[in-house]
Amino acid sequence: MFKLLAALDEVDQMHAQMDAVEDIAALSDDVTVYLLHVFTDNPSGASVHQVEAVREAMERLESLDINVQAVETSGDPATQILEQAEDLDVEQICIGGRKRSPTGKALFGSVTQDVVLSADRPVLVCGAQSQN
């Protein structure tokens, strides 16, 4: 069995991530995809199933008969992604990336950069698809 953790946040990045996940799933008969959303601030107690990117990704993967589970946690996104990857014992992490200037990364940090530099397993970074 191949297990993959897809950390989801924004819908535009999710589409690129799911394109990659579908390609990976096509290579094996036994793939499980964990769709993770990390809440950084959730005073209303929202559920992972209320996150648009997770809902759309779940529907898309289920329509292709890919095993999929939604996972939610809260805290620092990079830390939580790495912890969930370890806890779920996934073979690969799939994360969305966005363009940021070096100054923007220094000031605001980069979840993608932190995960790539700290992960002990392969990380697939998928950028948002451009609108033509």
Side-chain angles (χ1 to χ4, degrees), residues 1-4 24-25 28 30-34 90-92:
M1 177 196 304
F2 186 85
K3 295 188 287 185
L4 184 141
I24 292 167
S28 175
D30 194 10
V31 175
T32 297
V33 179
Y34 297 96
V90 298
E91 279 75 32
Q92 187 172 32

Side-chain angles (χ1 to χ4, degrees), residues 4 16-28 31 60-61 64 66 124:
L4 184 141
Q17 288 175 268
M18 290 307 102
D19 288 346
V21 167
E22 287 177 17
D23 290 345
I24 292 167
L27 301 174
S28 175
V31 175
R60 183 170 167 177
L61 296 178
L64 298 170
I66 296 172
L124 175 61

Side-chain angles (χ1 to χ4, degrees), residues 20-92:
V21 167
E22 287 177 17
D23 290 345
I24 292 167
L27 301 174
S28 175
D29 292 334
D30 194 10
V31 175
T32 297
V33 179
Y34 297 96
L35 302 176
L36 171 67
H37 181 76
V38 180
F39 291 97
T40 54
D41 185 28
N42 188 15
S44 63
S47 161
V48 67
H49 297 285
Q50 293 173 297
V51 177
E52 184 179 3
V54 173
R55 279 196 328 268
E56 287 187 27
M58 246 181 141
E59 290 172 7
R60 183 170 167 177
L61 296 178
E62 287 173 341
S63 74
L64 298 170
D65 292 325
I66 296 172
N67 295 325
V68 60
Q69 293 182 29
V71 179
E72 66 183 77
T73 188
S74 59
D76 173 67
T79 301
Q80 291 303 313
I81 291 166
L82 294 168
E83 285 182 8
Q84 289 298 314
E86 180 73 26
D87 291 349
L88 297 168
D89 193 29
V90 298
E91 279 75 32
Q92 187 172 32

